[in-house]
Amino acid sequence: MILTESSAACWNCGRPPDSVHFCRHCQSLQPPAVDRFAYLGLEQKLRIDRADLENRFYELSRRLHPDRYFQRPERERQLSLDATAVLNDAYRTLKDPVARAEYLLGLHGIKKGEQKSLNVPPELLEEVFELNVTLEEMRSGAAARPQLETARVKFERMLHEVDQALEGCFARWDQDGGLQALESIHGALNRRNYIRNLLRDVTAALS
Amino acid sequence: MSPLFQIDFDDQPNDIIVGIDLGTTNSLVAYMDQLRPRLITDAQGEKIVPSIVALTRQGELVAGRSAAEVLVSTPERAVYSVKRLMGRGVDDVAEERKLFPFQIAEDSRSVIRMRLGDRLFTPPEISAQVLRQLKHHAEAHFGLPVSKAVITVPAYFNDAQRQATKDAGRIAGLEVLRLVNEPTAASLAYGLDKRNQGIVAVYDLGGGTFDISILKLKDGIFEVLATNGDTHLGGDDIDNLLIRIALQDLASEWGQDLLSDPVGVQLLRRAVIEAKHALSTLPETLLQFSYRDRQYNRQLDRPLFDRLIAPLVERTLEPCRQAVLDARIDVRQIDEVVLVGGSTRIPLVRQTVQVMFQKKPHTELNPEEVVALGAAVQAGILAGVHSEMLLLDVTPLSLGIETMGGVVSKLIHRNSTIPASATEVFTTGVDGQTNVLIHVVQGEREMIGDCRSLARFDLKGIPPLPAGMARIEVRFLIDANGILNVTARDQRSGKEQSVEVKPSYGLTDAQVETMINESIEQAESDFRARQLAEARVDADAILAATEKAMEHDAWFEIAPQERQGVKTALNELRVVFHSDDYLLVRAHIDNLNQATFHLAELMMDTAVKSSLQGKSLDQL
């Protein structure tokens, strides 16, 4: 379950603060809520306008940053430090589409897939097998460079495809929500991770 | 006075916050004057305090120019470039010891202790002396005590190096409100003065450190996108290259190994630095060195100089590329490159930067002053003067913990905006276990041995439970200074858990406390000496004025017993003049003032009349 502080009492005046950052009644800074979307004033949507996100981040930084709380009591200085750490973390997570999607899955109880051979997406098994053979040849000195170049181009194309697929999943979630959309995002993310690792291995072998 | 108007000045907050650039070679202090940052000069009008500290024969620690003199006359009593040793252990500095005349005591393991004359000092204590000097300059400038400062550090400084800088501030009697990264500070001064929108790269090559930072400037927000660097690369290294060449020449020309002669080496170092500076503006120069009636001359031209230093300048490029990559920008998106640090005056450095960033670097601001000015801007931000500006900096190194098999698990990645935090839940591995040790490191590598050990945190007082049942939530928080704070909480009881910190390098809190107390004693004796000197100056003035007044017409207008009173007070002040109790001297100055009050009034009357006759006061 997602914890939000909105139902709790304000530490300063005891009334419900009714807002994420500052108490509506006494304006004092509140302990950070956990949901990072909400912390930046956003709904749990996956397609985000980067410029808008940056503006939100800058505006909240101006209000929450410890530099603004230097002359204030210790309690508020500590709250400002905590709030800014959460804000920075939230911005870092949300500005990256993959981290953003993984975070959303986490909120809904879906853990990021472990990167073990057991989790190889079935449709990729053949690719992985071929690549391992080529890499083995390369290590034993055979002239496998052309094959690796081909493999790199192929993986780059696959990465591009999976990114497009992810875009589609994001749109579906933003429109309809639902567990099924999340499951397909989860699948696409796993596949993407795997392709990226393959690409990394090939690039490393080529350089 | 009615109670309404009584103001208790002791309760007034002292709002002076100075900005300090504590450099490897030179240090400066600045403050915020309404809207502009300004540098503070010493009594001679000099802005720069050389970061050199010496122990005089009288056992007094001095810093700055007077220490620079000691460095040449008795090198074993002086030390320079101590910033290279901050926050480091003796094993880290094996390289530096080959090139620098540091006399490091043999028992220095996690904290270096260095010898000056017959005493041992840690690097923070040495740096504190430079800070004290800057503090004095600021106090003389304002005529008020100064106890708060923003101090700059290289962006690529790790936790221990930052902590050591903070310790130095505390030892010097300064509350360090904030550590600011040098290139970021420079960007604040630059942004205030020149550009305030767009992407800016700050290339900072100083006396001992190199930093590159890439920032996004927008509506007063200064967001660092990425930073990188090398904390052991700077002008010092160029000096050492040239010294080595000169030493080889001397070995063949004079048949003498000068290396074993510290005074000779220091004089040679001066000559080499002079030649280096000349080559920044001239195509060639003569390296001249005379010592003990012998003369060594060597023609140096820029092509040769460039060839010599090219490998050092090259070393700055990889950090630049990494920073651009980490900032997730294309190099062409950078709108401006700002040069900081004295070594960026070297033409080859400027050319290299221009090629790397495909842009002519910006050189309008003085590269040696811009960091201190920026520190003052940050001081202004903290004081609420520049409320439209805000600096969002990053941590230069990833923070991780040791896990099974010596593998590092990263908790906070490099270039994360600070303050940054991460939470991890720990448990026990053995039934009834009551403490857990967490080893925290900084660095980018996967294995613990390749990273920099930061500290071991001991979680104590865990309730004895079967293995794996305890739940201790540990929060790692890197604050706005780039310094790590660790707190822990028992998830079951919700109680704060005690954490004992064992820093791998640097001083413990208790050690710093001892040094602060020592320095307070030192400061008190400094204070007394200064007060005494000032009281004697005032006594001299009033004695001279009284003697002169005794020749004035007015002297004969006052009653004989009043004249006797003045004479007595005058003689008494002469008697106490040479005591070392400044309060006694002050008391007798007051006595003489009282005794001559009426006399002075009479003289004033005469003066007013005289001035009407066209005579001025000081003609009396």
Side-chain angles (χ1 to χ4, degrees), chain A residues 87-103:
Chain A
L87 174 68
N88 289 339
D89 187 31
Y91 181 55
R92 196 163 40 246
T93 308
L94 297 187
K95 77 178 168 186
D96 177 52
V98 172
R100 187 193 309 149
E102 281 172 350
Y103 176 67

Side-chain angles (χ1 to χ4, degrees), chain A residues 3-37:
Chain A
L3 296 172
T4 55
E5 300 283 333
S6 55
S7 56
C10 166
W11 62 271
N12 190 35
C13 71
R15 285 176 284 185
D18 289 337
S19 157
V20 183
H21 308 103
F22 297 92
C23 173
R24 177 188 285 188
H25 310 286
C26 71
Q27 313 307 326
S28 42
L29 183 56
Q30 298 299 305
V34 174
D35 177 359
R36 293 167 195 178
F37 287 96

Side-chain angles (χ1 to χ4, degrees), chain B residues 42 44 46-50 52 63-70 137:
Chain B
D42 66 7
Q44 285 75 47
E46 297 278 352
K47 297 169 187 165
I48 287 175
V49 171
I52 305 173
R65 254 178 300 283
S66 43
E69 293 313 313
V70 178
H137 291 175

Side-chain angles (χ1 to χ4, degrees), chain A residues 74-87:
Chain A
E74 170 64 24
R75 167 95 202 227
E76 283 189 73
R77 292 213 308 267
Q78 188 61 44
L79 279 173
S80 144
L81 189 61
D82 293 344
T84 311
V86 169
L87 174 68

Side-chain angles (χ1 to χ4, degrees), chain B residues 40-43 134-146 530 534:
Chain B
I40 294 172
T41 59
D42 66 7
L134 297 166
K135 182 174 183 266
H136 283 169
H137 291 175
E139 289 176 338
H141 176 89
F142 295 114
L144 287 169
V146 170
R530 210 162 58 227
E534 283 168 13

